[in-house]
Amino acid sequence: MATKTWFITGASQGFGLIFIEQLLQKGDNVAATSRSLASLEKAAGTHPNLLGLEVNLTDEQSVKTAVDATIAKFGRIDVVVNNAGYGLLGAVEELSDAETRQNFEVNVYGSLNVIRQALPYLREQGSGHIFNISSIGGFFGGFPGFGIYCATKFAMAGFTEALAEEAKPFGIKTTLVLPGYFRTNFLESSSLATPKNALDAYSSVRESQRMHEIEINGNQPGDPAKGVAEMIKIAEGDAAPLYLFLGTDAVDMAEKKLELIKNEIETWRSVSSATNF
């Protein structure tokens, strides 16, 4: 198997850091980005096949500099993993415009900046694979307090579906990854933001926050090392899914959503059909 070059965002922790460990072990090249190069080097160390990059994903010029540096060092990019992002837990009403926009800036526009800068190289070489790591919350949004976060992940699903069709003629594969609960630091305060001005009226949101921070955190069923290993296997194969539900809990929630939609369509079919000329 030929050596691949991977460009991975959010690589100083969680899935991103595990990608570095597994890919270097198999001999691939890794360009890894983080908001802090010092944090990345502390977590991942140094390696001849590792290029650490300090990147502000919300600044497209910063992203361009990182992509160009990857090409300069390794000569190509084979796989892009849009992994960077953070959670935001708060009711739609209580989250401010600034808090909401920042979540979109990182989770949505940061990924789009990477895609815009990497695609010219992938198109020119006529190959590549883009993994956009969303969340089961990008398919099933029924989590009190996660409306804005889910909205960012639904947005990622929308542009990924279109991107898959646009990139296919150039030999580029595209996969939307929708993980369930994996035992990473996602539910720690470093990765999960909460409202500056919480409203007492939203008891369901406060209970959701308590449950995620205390009961679910540290007890997630998904093994992130196994999740990363499966994504690497997919990148090595000829076929690739558009939708990859990662984890049995993600599959269960996806199936519940599909059943819900099916029932809604049947229940309201007469109304839907009453609008034609």
Side-chain angles (χ1 to χ4, degrees):
M1 186 70 67
T3 299
K4 291 182 181 293
T5 295
W6 296 63
F7 185 93
I8 302 170
T9 67
S12 62
Q13 58 188 7
F15 278 141
L17 183 58
I18 296 171
F19 264 113
I20 293 175
E21 295 167 353
Q22 294 191 12
L23 291 170
L24 292 180
Q25 188 174 20
K26 70 185 289 291
D28 282 355
N29 301 318
V30 182
T33 83
S34 174
R35 289 172 295 174
S36 165
L37 184 58
S39 296
L40 178 62
E41 291 177 342
K42 181 179 179 180
T46 60
H47 190 281
N49 291 10
L50 174 63
L51 174 63
L53 298 160
E54 185 168 297
V55 178
N56 176 3
L57 292 175
T58 66
D59 179 347
E60 191 161 12
Q61 182 56 52
S62 178
V63 174
K64 182 180 187 306
T65 299
V67 171
D68 289 347
T70 304
I71 298 297
K73 180 171 178 61
F74 298 122
R76 61 186 290 121
I77 295 175
D78 298 291
V79 187
V80 173
V81 181
N82 277 311
N83 170 68
Y86 70 95
L88 180 61
L89 201 168
V92 172
E93 179 188 354
E94 66 188 355
L95 289 168
S96 68
D97 179 76
E99 289 169 318
T100 299
R101 288 178 184 274
Q102 182 61 24
N103 205 214
F104 272 87
E105 284 287 343
V106 175
N107 293 3
V108 180
Y109 295 111
S111 296
L112 290 171
N113 285 341
V114 171
I115 290 167
R116 273 194 298 269
Q117 294 305 317
L119 266 175
Y121 294 105
L122 303 185
R123 284 194 292 105
E124 183 178 359
Q125 69 195 25
S127 65
H129 198 153
I130 298 172
F131 286 86
N132 290 329
I133 299 186
S134 176
S135 162
I136 187 56
F139 188 79
F140 178 87
F143 304 97
F146 281 95
I148 298 303
Y149 172 75
C150 286
T152 68
K153 296 305 184 178
F154 268 80
M156 180 176 274
F159 73 67
T160 300
E161 286 192 356
L163 176 64
E165 295 301 315
E166 295 164 359
K168 190 184 302 182
F170 303 104
I172 302 166
K173 293 177 285 189
T174 308
T175 296
L176 180 74
V177 184
L178 300 108
Y181 288 106
F182 277 79
R183 207 168 296 181
T184 67
N185 64 328
F186 178 75
L187 296 179
E188 301 287 344
S189 59
S190 60
S191 297
L192 184 64
T194 53
K196 293 180 180 178
N197 297 301
L199 300 176
D200 292 338
Y202 286 102
S203 57
S204 64
V205 174
R206 301 288 81 77
E207 174 57 23
S208 177
Q209 180 178 342
R210 186 200 67 80
M211 183 177 67
H212 280 85
E213 292 178 338
I214 297 174
E215 295 180 11
I216 298 176
N217 188 25
N219 296 304
Q220 299 96 321
D223 181 341
K226 291 181 179 178
V228 168
E230 292 303 319
M231 286 185 271
I232 293 173
K233 288 179 187 176
I234 288 173
E236 293 173 343
D238 294 328
L242 172 56
Y243 273 80
L244 176 62
F245 294 98
L246 209 56
T248 55
D249 56 343
V251 172
D252 289 344
M253 282 185 270
E255 289 177 336
K256 289 178 182 178
K257 173 67 177 285
L258 292 172
E259 185 65 23
L260 171 65
I261 292 174
K262 180 181 178 181
N263 290 337
E264 292 275 76
I265 289 173
E266 291 305 319
T267 300
W268 299 98
R269 184 180 295 275
S270 62
V271 174
S272 302
S273 303
T275 60
N276 293 345
F277 283 105

